[in-house]
Amino acid sequence: PGGDHLPKIVPITTANKPPGSKTDMKRSTDRTQTTHVGSIPRPDSLVDYMIAEDKGEAFDTAAFETALTQAVNEVVGHQKTLGIDTVSDGEFSKRGFAVYAHERLSGLEETGRSRPSPWANSRESDAFPEFYAPEHAAKDRAPTQSTMQMSCTGPISYKGQTELQRDIDNLRAACDAHGADAFMPAISPCDVVGNQVNEFYATEDEFLYAVADALNVEYRAIVDAGFDLQIDDPRLINYYVKSPQLSVQDCRTWAEHQVEAINHALTGIPEDRVRYHTCYGINMGPRVHDMEMKDYLDIVLKINAGAYSFEAANPRHEHEWKLWETVKLPDGKSIIPGVVTNSSVLVEHAELVAQRIERFASVVGRENVIAGADCGFGTQASATPEVHPTIVWAKFQAISDGAKIASGRLWS
């Protein structure tokens, strides 16, 4: 896939890692490590600027940059205070976890119209039309930059070096100040292509691999800066619920091809510096048509990553931990199951978090489990977070407290 001209992908591992590379990402060698998925609700000091930007209004860019640097420093410090081992910058500079790519890739233009609702004509909205009616009504609102349908009208290349370096510098300064280890999320080729209309490339395959080549620039820069790279890829498993005309096997075949493109985008990057995240997106809905883990897990494990992050704490997917009784986790790799969920405002009890960690430890080994979250909590700057920031912090505390309880029992 992608053409015979593409180089053969050789995953970089500990054995063939280039000299001077950072050591592997943290693993649970003597206790359960903690992390999350990345996005955190942005503070008020940033939201007004970002809403203005989203609407195309003028704002004080220098003041925004100052506020951003301060906010990243504070959010890294707060994560450390709560006991999160591997932190992020909250994705505070991005108007959206996926649409930020509009600003970093050349060849994309605004169409002047809004993208359709992500749940329009999905299996979920077909089954629960009354519940999803507000989502359909949103199509009539004036488009903002975050909701604008984009088209690919020219060759794709990476142009976001300035914004990326700003993010790297802010996160590095904050980590140095607070003694933190960090990861930085970046969108997958699959998700970028899913948000655009291709009007330039002869085939969708050419478009996909052009995006993969461009994103490799961002991926390498993140790893070269000393951070773990997290690939965010909700579309891989959301494709099923949003494509009711396709069978599970159709979606598996499609997903296999997306994974090949992801691995192409990871060319030259050690797999033990990469964590891969897939999920079902921000959707406090019935969720009865989510693709089941048994139908995609073997495909995800083909990604050249050192750790795999997935939903495991919401009641639609908590039972799926038992799959790991029969699925072999490749040697030296970790899983990052969600032990708290973004799909409820209930704050999980630390004992429940500990039990969730211990379940996974019982089937894949204690050293291979890192406690995480189901998804991010602030994926769009212009949207009101479905989980209030104060509750997000309480959930992060539950991750930390639960990991301490589990560690005490697993390493006793």
Side-chain angles (χ1 to χ4, degrees), residues 2 31 46 83 92 102 112 157-158 206 228 248 342-343 360 376 389 398 403:
R31 63 178 176 84
L46 298 180
F92 278 1
H102 297 168
S157 62
Y158 195 80
E206 289 182 23
D228 292 329
V248 168
N342 61 298
S343 298
F360 284 102

Side-chain angles (χ1 to χ4, degrees), residues 60-82:
D60 187 334
T61 55
F64 169 72
E65 294 294 341
T66 299
L68 176 61
T69 299
Q70 180 178 348
V72 171
N73 179 68
E74 291 174 353
V75 79
V76 166
H78 196 41
Q79 289 169 79
K80 283 291 292 182
T81 298
L82 294 175

Side-chain angles (χ1 to χ4, degrees), residues 70-152:
Q70 180 178 348
V72 171
N73 179 68
E74 291 174 353
V75 79
V76 166
H78 196 41
Q79 289 169 79
K80 283 291 292 182
T81 298
L82 294 175
I84 301 300
D85 293 307
T86 305
V87 307
S88 80
D89 62 358
E91 297 193 273
F92 278 1
S93 72
K94 301 173 181 175
R95 288 181 290 110
F97 84 99
V99 299
Y100 84 94
H102 297 168
E103 302 162 352
R104 300 193 182 186
L105 299 178
S106 66
L108 303 178
E109 291 185 5
E110 296 178 353
T111 63
R113 63 182 184 274
S114 289
R115 297 192 311 275
S117 161
W119 301 105
N121 304 314
S122 69
R123 285 178 161 90
E124 285 288 282
S125 61
D126 288 350
F128 301 96
E130 296 85 0
F131 179 82
Y132 285 97
E135 287 280 340
H136 293 287
K139 70 180 185 301
D140 299 323
R141 299 172 189 159
T144 65
Q145 292 184 42
S146 288
T147 63
M148 186 79 69
Q149 178 66 67
M150 304 290 288
S151 290
C152 174

